[in-house]
Amino acid sequence: MNSKLEMDTLVSLCKRRGFIFQSSEIYGGINGFWNYGPYGTAMKRAVEKLWWNEMVETRGNVEGLDSTVICNPKVWKASGHLDKFGDLMTDCKECKTRHRVDQMEDPSTCPNCGSKNLTEPREFNLMMKTYVGPVSDEDHVAYLRAETCQPIFTDFHSVRIATRQKMPFGIAQIGKAFRNEINPRNFIFRSREFSQMEMEFFCFDEEAMEWYNFWKDQRIKYYYDKLEFTEDELRIHDHDTLAHYAKAALDIEFKFPFGWGELEGVHHRGTWDMSRHQEYSGESMEYFDQENNRKVIPTVIETSVGVDRTMLAILCHAYDEDTAETKKEGKKADVRTVLRIPAIVAPVQAAVLPLSKKLSEKAENIFKDIRRRYRSEFDVTGSIGKRYRRQDEIGTPYCVTVDFDTMEDNTVTVRSRDAMTQERVSADQLIAYFDDKLLM
RNA sequence: GCGGGUGUAGCAUAGUGGUAAUGCACCAGCCUUCCAAGCUGGCAAGGAGGGUUCGAUUCCCUUCACCCGCUCCA
């Protein structure tokens, strides 16, 4: 990452090149909501595909789920969200601090400065509320899920029975979650509608710490190997103080331009969630351990990733500027903006560029072949140098250039985004050449 | 939610109480055979609402959004 990267620069690039837009922009936007444009969408889908491949498809012991955003409100009562999210808060008008009323010794005195000049206690409920059915009264209140993991817990037995999985095994889900964040901030880092990729691994309590460490290692390796993050960009933050449900927890953090921020949490949640759902639903959430002839409440190890935070981290990691020679009149050093996005998640993986419009037909034939396997683009507009720069700015790792030699010997040049070098490859060998570089 | 700042074409900037300018980008044409060429033409803007004024993008108020610092982050 370019160490001088300002968020403004990235936000502007994301808008200009169609990665990320403000939601409802023509109406002035809406706080905490962002849209992905064409390239952002392609990249987001690739990120989700990569995670799904990594966590589900290449493992025999993790199953997939796609649950609804709206659940029976009792789910959120059991999970603790409705109570925890209902905290009363008060602001001190003197020292501008905010406090939870239930944690104050004297609710009329500011614990920070001793002032009695406090605002009326207000409820801060972070769950988004809606109404199910045409009648909007309190009997029909429902909530948009604040995390994707709770429906995984409630569907534990359905998934287990359908797939004949035995513990230990996991259930994974990718989907939207919603929180009425008090203060959305830092572009897409903290927004009110966001996507999560979560995996809940159900295991026996005595093996749980082993699995916790296993998943911790797996997940850290993923960031280095698959997303190409570097050691100075990542750190592990072990939690000193644990949430009410957790027995061990860590954050995998990325060094954003605005500071360190959490990408993923790995949590040992104990039996808290499953016990609560058993208690609130009255249904047994126990697992019958045939080998030891016992019933146990499964212990849960969770890996929880923010998709949007991953997107932002990849973009920050990828953003770079270098200087290149230019033949543009009146300018000396040319600054090249380039996104060094890992090839497997790049929105466009290969661009096919005919050197001249006369070569369009041949180039289109090659394009038709490779677009079936990779995210590809075809561009004949402008000079070849300009087209390379366009592709650099959206992070396309390879450009295939069809030139006049192609018509003679059926070879093309493959130009690398990072090295800016060219390699001559037979058109017949392109698929083999790219499979090695672009597939997961 | 508090304090501070900002808001002009897709992006970056300029300027003005009286016709909103420039660069980049984009589109069309000419030209052009490997790293942002050139020429010609074109598209396109003062966040929203109210007030003051003959007239507001400019001054005032409200609101919305974004940025920075606090706060929050189960």
Side-chain angles (χ1 to χ4, degrees):
Chain A
M1 180 177 74
N2 185 315
S3 58
K4 287 182 294 184
L5 175 63
E6 297 279 342
M7 285 306 288
D8 284 352
T9 308
L10 187 65
V11 171
S12 144
L13 173 67
C14 284
K15 181 176 184 189
R16 184 158 42 87
R17 300 318 306 260
F19 281 87
I20 298 162
F21 311 128
Q22 207 172 0
S23 171
S24 324
E25 197 185 5
I26 63 169
Y27 291 104
I30 176 166
N31 192 325
F33 296 87
W34 300 90
N35 292 345
Y36 288 99
Y39 292 126
T41 304
M43 185 169 143
K44 186 185 179 207
R45 291 173 67 100
V47 166
E48 292 175 347
K49 185 180 172 188
L50 173 67
W51 184 87
W52 194 256
N53 181 259
E54 170 84 8
M55 297 297 285
V56 181
E57 291 170 346
T58 57
R59 296 177 198 275
N61 61 350
V62 177
E63 302 289 347
L65 180 71
D66 191 342
S67 73
T68 57
V69 165
I70 292 174
C71 304
N72 187 310
K74 288 175 186 167
V75 170
W76 307 108
K77 190 73 187 167
S79 70
H81 286 80
L82 282 181
D83 296 331
K84 289 287 171 189
F85 274 37
D87 290 336
L88 289 174
M89 307 284 283
T90 182
D91 291 306
C92 174
K93 293 176 182 173
E94 300 292 332
C95 69
K96 312 295 184 193
T97 55
R98 169 172 294 161
H99 309 280
R100 275 172 63 167
V101 173
D102 64 327
Q103 289 181 349
M104 294 163 75
E105 281 183 31
D106 174 5
S108 66
T109 308
C110 172
N112 189 49
C113 71
S115 165
K116 293 198 181 284
N117 190 8
L118 302 172
T119 61
E120 282 298 304
R122 280 168 296 188
E123 189 177 311
F124 280 73
N125 195 316
L126 297 198
M127 284 206 82
M128 286 205 195
K129 202 186 220 180
T130 187
Y131 301 92
V132 171
V135 183
S136 298
D137 63 23
E138 289 307 301
D139 292 338
H140 297 81
V141 167
Y143 301 89
L144 308 191
R145 64 183 178 202
E147 56 186 22
T148 56
C149 65
Q150 293 302 327
I152 291 179
F153 299 136
T154 64
D155 289 9
F156 169 73
H157 283 310
S158 300
V159 173
R160 179 185 61 76
I161 291 163
T163 59
R164 297 176 289 115
Q165 286 282 2
K166 293 184 171 54
M167 284 220 304
F169 75 98
I171 303 175
Q173 164 156 243
I174 298 176
K176 287 286 182 81
F178 301 81
R179 298 180 195 183
N180 268 320
E181 295 287 355
I182 293 168
N183 193 0
R185 198 53 83 78
N186 294 327
F187 200 25
I188 56 171
F189 182 79
R190 172 168 296 125
S191 52
R192 289 182 166 140
E193 173 175 343
F194 55 100
S195 293
Q196 291 185 309
M197 305 187 287
E198 295 195 300
M199 191 281 301
E200 309 299 319
F201 197 76
F202 300 91
C203 60
F204 296 105
D205 201 56
E206 58 269 25
E207 299 166 349
M209 276 314 292
E210 231 171 280
W211 283 112
Y212 173 78
N213 288 316
F214 171 82
W215 286 111
K216 168 189 168 182
D217 293 344
Q218 291 282 299
R219 296 307 304 154
I220 293 168
K221 194 167 150 42
Y222 160 95
Y223 288 104
Y224 287 128
D225 293 353
K226 306 289 181 171
L227 295 185
E228 300 175 11
F229 292 160
T230 56
E231 282 192 24
D232 57 318
E233 288 173 324
L234 279 186
R235 75 176 184 193
I236 309 303
H237 176 235
D238 277 295
H239 289 209
D240 316 318
T241 54
L242 296 169
H244 55 88
Y245 57 74
K247 291 195 170 173
L250 62 89
D251 292 340
I252 300 172
E253 298 183 331
F254 182 86
K255 194 177 190 177
F256 291 100
F258 48 80
W260 290 96
E262 180 189 350
L263 286 182
E264 169 157 3
V266 179
H267 300 144
H268 179 330
R269 300 178 68 118
T271 57
W272 197 84
D273 302 280
M274 297 300 274
S275 302
R276 290 277 289 194
H277 283 300
Q278 175 161 299
E279 181 187 341
Y280 278 73
S281 68
E283 299 283 327
S284 169
M285 298 307 275
E286 290 174 318
Y287 174 82
F288 179 61
D289 174 13
Q290 204 158 9
E291 219 168 287
N292 298 300
N293 194 33
R294 60 171 178 169
K295 284 184 175 175
V296 295
I297 302 264
T299 290
V300 172
I301 305 299
E302 169 185 85
T303 71
S304 173
V305 189
V307 177
D308 311 271
R309 290 176 175 194
T310 303
M311 291 287 289
L312 186 58
I314 293 170
L315 289 167
C316 290
H317 163 87
Y319 187 91
D320 198 10
E321 291 172 359
D322 59 17
T323 51
E325 288 183 22
T326 183
K327 63 180 179 183
K328 203 170 181 178
E329 280 181 16
K331 287 191 176 182
K332 289 172 187 170
D334 172 42
V335 177
R336 180 177 78 126
T337 299
V338 52
L339 294 186
R340 305 189 194 278
I341 301 173
I344 45 172
V345 294
V348 177
Q349 297 177 294
V352 179
L353 315 171
L355 193 59
S356 154
K357 280 178 184 166
K358 296 167 194 160
L359 299 162
S360 289
E361 195 181 329
K362 175 69 179 169
E364 275 183 65
N365 287 334
I366 290 171
F367 175 55
K368 275 176 195 158
D369 280 344
I370 72 164
R371 76 185 307 181
R372 299 170 63 203
R373 290 178 84 79
Y374 325 106
R375 294 181 292 280
S376 311
E377 207 164 77
F378 183 83
D379 190 5
V380 292
T381 317
S383 72
I384 190 70
K386 182 169 222 162
R387 281 177 275 162
Y388 285 152
R389 298 305 170 84
R390 276 192 199 126
Q391 296 299 331
D392 288 340
E393 236 187 5
I394 61 167
T396 306
Y398 299 102
C399 292
V400 176
T401 310
V402 174
D403 58 21
F404 288 92
D405 289 344
T406 309
M407 307 307 284
E408 305 297 322
D409 60 9
N410 202 38
T411 62
V412 295
T413 59
V414 178
R415 180 263 193 184
S416 150
R417 169 196 71 196
D418 295 332
M420 290 181 80
T421 51
Q422 299 188 51
E423 192 176 349
R424 199 127 202 125
V425 178
S426 163
D428 300 331
Q429 295 299 311
L430 263 187
I431 298 292
Y433 180 87
F434 280 142
D435 271 3
D436 188 46
K437 299 180 183 320
L438 300 178
L439 299 185
M440 281 185 287

